[in-house]
């Protein structure tokens, strides 16, 4: 695997192979078995948006793999003052073994890969959040045993999380149903991928999407960069909430995931969040293991 730019670029087999390696690395981590698979390698981590989980899990993960993470805040870099991404990519390719980037535009991430000659990992754009969804799929598999045939339901914004869940879920043989208000549907490239697949369904009413779901997932109503739309979005998304009455429509043993940070009382109630806190924080932990697997796949000397 050369890069992780978006899940659309991977096959279902490649996704499952990352999850298998993630399970193995988690086992080794829990049993204190050293795995310095990236000794001597340096990962640059460019952040143009805030982060808790992504930053810490990549930094700790790189250390556990014997490599060195380098935190690069865009505010302190020339890229933040307008140095073109194509120059930044060519310079950083001379120093680093790989780059993880969190930014706004997917195009910027694709351009880093195009102009640089080192592996690029997408740590979230407005378009997608592949690292998060690999951790989500890993967590679902841990709880349910396998992914094939399970029904995943996402309630909320047709944004980075919904986009990656649709692609990752369908590629792994899941049924994916989503509910979003009109005007907040996923972009055309995602609908072109999903529509026509009998495992995909899209509704306006959360109640229709949640029916018989094995896993319910949601995300904030206003993502990073959309703070100015918060009030408008509160109105548009009212009712797009995982609460007890929605849970009653899902399977009795349905699990709940949330990429975090969560806004209790908006997209999820405090009650449902706390009832499913074990799953949600296992999901957060799995960011570490899933990303270590990605790092080994793209930065490792041998294809694992
Ligand atoms: N879920 C997630 O990506 O969290 P951070 O924004 O804290 O990295
Ligand atoms: N959709 C959210 C995810 C945060 C991890 C955002 O982009 O802010």
């Amino acid at each position: 695997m050369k890069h992780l730019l978006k899940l659309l670029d991977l096959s279902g087999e490649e996704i499952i192979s990352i999850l298998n390696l993630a399970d193995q690395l988690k086992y080794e981590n829990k049993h204190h078995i050293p795995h310095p698979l990236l000794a001597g390698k340096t990962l640059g981590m460019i952040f143009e948006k805030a982060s808790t989980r992504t930053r810490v899990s990549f930094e700790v993960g790189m250390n556990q793999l014997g490599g060195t993470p380098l935190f690069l805040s865009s505010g302190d870099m020339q890229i933040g003052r307008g140095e073109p991404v194509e120059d930044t990519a060519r310079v950083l390719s001379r120093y680093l073994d790989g780059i993880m980037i969190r930014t706004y535009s997917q195009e910027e991430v694709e351009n880093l890969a195009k102009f640089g000659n080192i592996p690029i990992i997408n740590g979230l754009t407005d378009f997608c959040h592949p690292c998060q969804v690999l951790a989500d799929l890993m967590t679902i598999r841990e709880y349910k045993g396998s992914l094939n045939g399970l029904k995943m339901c996402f309630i909320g914004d047709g944004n980075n999380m919904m986009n990656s869940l649709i692609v990752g879920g369908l590629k792994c043989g899941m049924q994916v149903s989503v509910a979003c208000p009109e005007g907040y549907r996923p972009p055309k490239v995602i609908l072109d991928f999903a529509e026509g697949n009998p495992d995909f369904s899209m509704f306006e009413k959360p109640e229709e999407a949640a029916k018989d779901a094995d896993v319910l997932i949601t995300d904030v109503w206003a993502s990073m960069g959309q703070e100015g739309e918060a009030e408008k979005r509160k109105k548009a998304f009212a009712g797009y909430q995982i609460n007890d009455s929605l849970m009653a429509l899902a399977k009795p043993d349905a699990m709940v995931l949330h990429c975090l940070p969560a806004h209790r009382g908006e997209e999820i109630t405090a009650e449902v969040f706390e009832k499913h806190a074990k799953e949600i924080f296992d999901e957060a932990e799995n960011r570490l293991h899933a990303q270590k697997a990605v790092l080994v796949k793209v930065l490792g000397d041998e294809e694992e």
Side-chain angles (χ1 to χ4, degrees):
M1 213 170 101
K2 196 147 182 257
H3 304 286
L4 176 61
L5 306 179
K6 55 188 180 300
L7 294 181
L8 278 172
D9 298 336
L10 304 189
S11 66
E13 291 72 32
E14 282 175 307
I15 295 175
I16 297 294
S17 157
I18 294 169
L19 303 186
N20 291 343
L21 180 57
D23 286 348
Q24 183 193 321
L25 292 170
K26 182 169 183 174
Y27 176 88
E28 290 177 9
N29 191 56
K30 298 282 174 204
H31 292 83
H32 308 289
I33 302 167
H35 40 268
L37 299 167
L38 298 183
K41 307 259 174 163
T42 305
L43 176 78
M45 309 189 306
I46 303 175
F47 282 92
E48 298 191 27
K49 288 176 175 173
S51 170
T52 297
R53 282 144 288 270
T54 305
R55 178 185 173 177
V56 177
S57 57
F58 266 104
E59 196 156 334
V60 170
M62 209 44 203
N63 275 307
Q64 290 180 357
L65 290 165
T68 305
L70 207 58
F71 175 70
L72 302 166
S73 163
S74 67
D76 300 329
M77 291 177 70
Q78 299 289 10
I79 201 170
R81 296 179 57 245
E83 183 169 16
V85 70
E86 48 268 45
D87 293 356
T88 307
R90 284 179 285 187
V91 170
L92 294 181
S93 292
R94 307 287 180 115
Y95 307 139
L96 300 169
D97 298 291
I99 296 173
M100 191 288 302
I101 178 164
R102 165 169 287 199
T103 187
Y104 295 86
S105 104
Q106 180 69 19
E107 197 187 353
E108 185 177 346
V109 177
E110 306 271 347
N111 278 340
L112 263 187
K114 187 166 151 199
F115 292 104
N117 58 9
I118 53 173
I120 306 297
I121 300 172
N122 183 337
L124 179 144
T125 60
D126 293 342
F127 176 65
C128 65
H129 198 358
C131 293
Q132 178 68 52
V133 168
L134 290 170
D136 293 6
L137 294 170
M138 177 181 178
T139 311
I140 298 167
R141 213 167 69 144
E142 261 175 10
Y143 275 78
K144 301 285 183 189
S146 79
L147 298 172
N148 207 35
L150 290 183
K151 179 168 175 180
M152 171 206 282
C153 165
F154 183 92
I155 305 289
D157 195 10
N159 195 16
N160 44 22
M161 278 304 298
M162 187 192 284
N163 293 345
S164 291
L165 285 165
I166 290 172
V167 175
L170 291 177
K171 286 197 181 224
C172 290
M174 300 182 81
Q175 292 176 42
V176 180
S177 70
V178 302
C180 40
E182 212 192 316
Y184 296 92
R185 292 192 179 142
K188 184 176 179 309
V189 57
I190 297 296
L191 294 179
D192 284 348
F193 167 80
E195 280 177 341
N197 184 329
D199 288 331
F200 176 71
S201 44
M202 184 165 68
F203 301 94
E204 203 161 324
K205 288 200 171 101
E207 294 75 18
E208 289 183 78
K211 210 169 167 298
D212 296 324
D214 295 285
V215 45
L216 284 133
I217 311 180
T218 189
D219 184 18
V220 290
W221 292 343
S223 286
M224 289 181 276
Q226 299 169 336
E227 290 80 3
E229 295 177 23
E231 283 314 308
K232 179 180 138 203
R233 284 171 166 269
K234 266 187 192 163
K235 290 195 189 99
F237 284 94
Y240 287 79
Q241 183 187 63
I242 303 190
N243 51 34
D244 283 331
S245 50
L246 201 72
M247 291 304 297
L249 302 170
K251 295 237 179 86
D253 62 348
M255 56 190 294
V256 173
L257 297 179
H258 192 307
C259 64
L260 304 175
H263 290 182
R264 291 166 177 79
E266 293 189 6
E267 75 276 3
I268 190 165
T269 59
E271 293 73 26
V272 171
F273 185 95
E274 290 308 331
K275 219 180 275 174
H276 294 272
K278 167 106 176 38
E279 292 142 40
I280 292 168
F281 291 103
D282 281 344
E283 174 191 14
E285 179 190 326
N286 284 340
R287 291 293 304 274
L288 172 67
H289 310 298
Q291 281 157 207
K292 283 168 70 183
V294 171
L295 286 166
V296 171
K297 291 273 183 196
V298 300
L299 296 188
D301 292 326
E302 287 169 39
E303 190 29 283
E304 295 271 335

